[in-house]
Amino acid sequence: MVKEAQIEKAYAAASESYAALGVDTEKVLKDMDKVSLSLHCWQTDDVKGFESLGESLSGGIQVTGNHPGRARNIDEVRADILEALKYIPGSHRLSLHEIYGDFGGKPVDRNEVEPEHFRSWMEWAAENGLKLDFNSTSFSHPKSGNLTLANPDEGIRRFWIEHTERCRLISEEMGKFQGDPCMLNIWIHDGSKEVPANRLKYRQILEKSLDEIFSTQYEHMKDCIEAKLFGIGLENYTVGSYDFYLGYGARKGKIVTLDTGHFHLTESIADKISSLLLFTPEIMLHVSRPVRWDSDHVVIMNDDIMDLAREVIRCKALDRVHVGLDYFDATINRVGAYVIGSRATQKCFLQALLEPASTLEKLEAEDRGFEKLALQEELKSMPWGAVWDMYCLRHDVPAGAGYINGVHSYGLEVAASRK
Ligand code: RNT
Ligand code: ZN
């Protein structure tokens, strides 16, 4: 465990080094508090939820692994989230999927869900200083098939419209209750394994469905639409592609969700931030780690997320960019997966905030390319870790590797008790 005095000393030295570059580490520590992560509830239980419909995971997404300790009910999900939060500095949010409602063991179909099913979540979140975000759930249901909101079958389409409208109302109630807008994310898996005979047809249907869903105006929630490249078994065509939602979001003023696993692997998601900021109201991020495909590996501090965080900070857009996490790994301690991914994301934002932005911009404006590149390189070995440790210390959270033993022991306890 890193000692307090050691952290103070290292921080003082780091602070001086950053000051020499014109960076005020105290301001950075304050700004870090604005990086509020929306933790995805579905890492606790491998995206199963509490519906009693007995459906297995569908919709072209997949969780691999069978690590013991999966949360099996609402209390266990809550306990795991609170445990993870012990090791994540700052104040954060929780993103719920509709299938995580407090249904009391009764079957509540997706077209019957009510704000009341989330009342206990709202109260629990408030007691624990958390704000809630929400997601409609179109997968893992007998009516999911390959097409939901884009289904030419009017009965099925109406079912999913009803579901999504109800999810917007639930979000509105959550936002009102917590005095802070609830972000509603709409992701549907609609697509096809084979080349469709007509790509336009389904996109027209989806546009029509969304127009109807969004026709009610709300004040306490914000709509986000999440694009995707492809799903498993839906490799040839995704109705809600990036072009589709970018166009829809730009025209209708909706927030586009950028999931970092939903693009071609060499595509830069970071590069999209500045353009979206110009043409759409805000941005929702699903920070994830694709390995060869949208594999939803636990987020680590890598170049992709570093670039993404830098872009958000360089655009001075922290107040317009919502940082949600989205991955599911069942091969390791699930609480540990939250802690690793959250801290990694925070570390990327911290380093972005520690960048001497105005100096770099000035060097660029003066065409001093060598100096700019040299400074960018030097930044990589600056003592940002000492600033991170101080951020943890000030938030009463273990610094450095100090969280590993606690998370590990919790993992052993839950594994033993959740057999
Ligand atoms: C799937 C999307 C979506 C889901 C969650 C469970 O590829 O990323 O966000 O992960 O809704
Ligand atoms: Zn996502």
Side-chain angles (χ1 to χ4, degrees):
M1 191 80 110
V2 203
K3 289 208 192 69
E4 225 175 289
Q6 229 176 303
I7 295 175
E8 306 268 7
K9 203 168 143 198
Y11 174 73
S15 195
E16 239 178 85
S17 308
Y18 279 108
L21 295 178
V23 176
D24 176 357
T25 56
E26 283 301 310
K27 179 171 184 309
V28 168
L29 288 176
K30 274 199 201 90
D31 287 344
M32 267 303 282
D33 282 341
K34 296 182 197 153
V35 184
S36 184
L37 304 176
S38 188
L39 262 63
H40 54 310
C41 75
W42 50 95
Q43 162 66 39
T44 55
D45 76 331
D46 311 342
V47 209
K48 288 206 166 49
F50 316 129
E51 253 178 356
S52 349
L53 298 170
E55 287 288 308
S56 53
L57 184 62
S58 72
I61 51 178
Q62 201 167 74
V63 181
T64 48
N66 196 19
H67 193 84
R70 185 183 80 77
R72 299 159 303 176
N73 52 49
I74 211 161
D75 291 335
E76 291 180 354
V77 168
R78 288 175 185 169
D80 287 1
I81 296 293
L82 293 182
E83 178 68 18
L85 287 169
K86 284 190 198 164
Y87 307 99
I88 306 169
S91 61
H92 302 289
R93 310 174 68 91
L94 179 67
S95 185
L96 293 173
H97 245 285
E98 185 272 347
I99 47 174
Y100 290 79
D102 193 350
F103 303 125
K106 290 186 208 82
V108 174
D109 209 349
R110 309 264 172 103
N111 60 347
E112 298 166 345
V113 67
E114 310 261 1
E116 278 320 298
H117 298 121
F118 291 87
R119 192 60 54 192
S120 77
W121 272 116
M122 294 184 224
E123 283 157 9
W124 173 85
E127 277 160 29
N128 291 284
L130 284 166
K131 303 267 192 291
L132 295 176
D133 292 320
F134 201 50
N135 299 259
S136 57
T137 314
S138 71
F139 50 84
S140 310
H141 186 277
K143 289 197 172 68
S144 288
N146 286 346
L147 295 167
T148 62
L149 290 176
N151 206 315
D153 180 310
E154 195 52 16
I156 295 185
R157 190 175 78 94
R158 293 241 70 84
F159 177 87
W160 291 110
I161 290 177
E162 175 77 40
H163 169 71
T164 319
E165 286 177 341
R166 282 167 179 263
C167 288
R168 289 186 81 229
L169 176 65
I170 294 166
S171 306
E172 173 70 4
E173 290 300 318
M174 284 178 172
K176 216 186 281 173
F177 185 88
Q178 65 198 14
D180 190 71
C182 169
M183 310 300 291
L184 170 71
N185 191 58
I186 301 178
W187 168 70
I188 58 164
H189 56 275
D190 294 35
S192 67
K193 182 183 172 84
E194 272 307 341
V195 181
N198 186 335
R199 289 174 184 264
L200 178 61
K201 172 178 158 185
Y202 305 97
R203 293 196 169 123
Q204 280 170 330
I205 301 175
L206 178 55
E207 185 192 17
K208 203 169 104 184
S209 298
L210 291 175
D211 284 350
E212 185 173 337
I213 289 164
F214 295 143
S215 63
T216 309
Q217 300 296 315
Y218 288 120
E219 274 171 43
H220 305 278
M221 57 85 67
K222 294 180 183 179
D223 297 297
C224 310
I225 44 184
E226 181 179 4
K228 185 165 176 168
L229 193 57
F230 74 93
I232 304 169
L234 303 163
E235 291 85 355
N236 258 299
Y237 173 61
T238 300
V239 185
S241 60
Y242 183 59
D243 304 70
F244 176 89
Y245 283 126
L246 179 61
Y248 193 93
R251 185 196 275 173
K252 309 270 165 81
K254 294 292 172 190
I255 299 171
V256 175
T257 299
L258 296 176
D259 183 309
T260 57
H262 289 190
F263 296 87
H264 291 286
L265 292 176
T266 52
E267 202 169 339
S268 163
I269 291 99
D271 188 45
K272 300 178 189 302
I273 298 292
S274 47
S275 299
L276 277 180
L277 286 171
L278 286 175
F279 303 113
T280 58
E282 297 174 26
I283 297 175
M284 179 78 215
L285 297 177
H286 270 190
V287 182
S288 192
R289 177 164 55 112
V291 177
R292 305 194 183 276
W293 68 290
D294 181 26
S295 60
D296 286 292
H297 276 65
V298 177
V299 166
I300 55 172
M301 200 185 85
N302 61 16
D303 287 346
D304 296 342
I305 310 305
M306 287 286 304
D307 285 342
L308 187 64
R310 282 193 201 106
E311 273 309 306
V312 175
I313 299 305
R314 287 173 186 167
C315 292
K316 300 185 179 48
L318 257 188
D319 54 340
R320 288 180 63 201
V321 179
H322 306 264
V323 189
L325 304 179
D326 185 12
Y327 49 83
F328 18 94
D329 188 341
T331 64
I332 60 168
N333 179 322
R334 291 173 185 77
V335 168
Y338 278 117
V339 180
I340 292 171
S342 303
R343 288 172 70 117
T345 306
Q346 289 181 303
K347 286 175 186 172
C348 291
F349 275 95
L350 176 70
Q351 290 174 78
L353 285 165
L354 285 167
E355 197 178 77
S358 49
T359 309
L360 289 167
E361 278 186 37
K362 187 165 177 277
L363 291 173
E364 185 169 288
E366 291 170 1
D367 212 9
R368 293 158 68 186
F370 153 69
E371 286 133 292
K372 188 185 89 176
L373 189 59
L375 179 55
Q376 283 172 330
E377 279 303 286
E378 287 312 308
L379 289 174
K380 294 177 182 171
S381 52
M382 287 290 287
W384 64 270
V387 185
W388 167 252
D389 284 347
M390 181 50 92
Y391 187 61
C392 292
L393 182 65
R394 296 218 182 140
H395 284 276
D396 218 10
V397 155
Y403 67 91
I404 297 177
N405 288 342
V407 174
H408 180 63
S409 322
Y410 180 81
L412 295 179
E413 279 162 36
V414 299
S417 69
R418 296 180 189 173
K419 280 208 173 109

